[in-house]
Amino acid sequence: MKITKFVHSCLLVESPQINVLIDPGNFTWASHLLQVDKLPALDFIIITHEHPDHYDQQGLIKLSNRFPHST
């Protein structure tokens, strides 16, 4: 298992069975450290709560366009 922390609350958890992105909020997107085109195929995107530092609607649109089968 590999865990990568981006900015503030955003984590990418990768394992041979599953890839999960957690809380890609506005700080994450503003940093430009999270690059959608470089992410592995995501199985799940988890938002723990709807504060802007954990949830960014435009960012989620980018992710859902790239990974339409993730839930």
Side-chain angles (χ1 to χ4, degrees):
M1 179 182 297
K2 178 181 174 185
I3 300 173
T4 304
K5 181 173 178 164
F6 290 98
V7 175
H8 187 60
S9 61
C10 186
L11 298 172
L12 174 63
V13 180
E14 300 173 87
S15 76
Q17 298 82 18
I18 195 169
N19 295 318
V20 179
L21 186 66
I22 304 167
D23 284 344
N26 59 3
F27 294 148
T28 302
W29 296 107
S31 75
H32 301 287
L33 294 175
L34 178 66
Q35 298 177 358
V36 174
D37 59 330
K38 294 187 179 183
L39 288 171
L42 295 176
D43 299 293
F44 296 96
I45 301 167
I46 297 173
I47 306 300
T48 59
H49 59 285
E50 291 187 33
H51 288 162
D53 56 334
H54 295 258
Y55 167 85
D56 181 81
Q57 185 172 358
Q58 294 303 314
L60 289 176
I61 290 169
K62 291 178 193 176
L63 290 167
S64 66
N65 287 336
R66 173 94 166 128
F67 306 108
H69 299 291
S70 63
T71 55

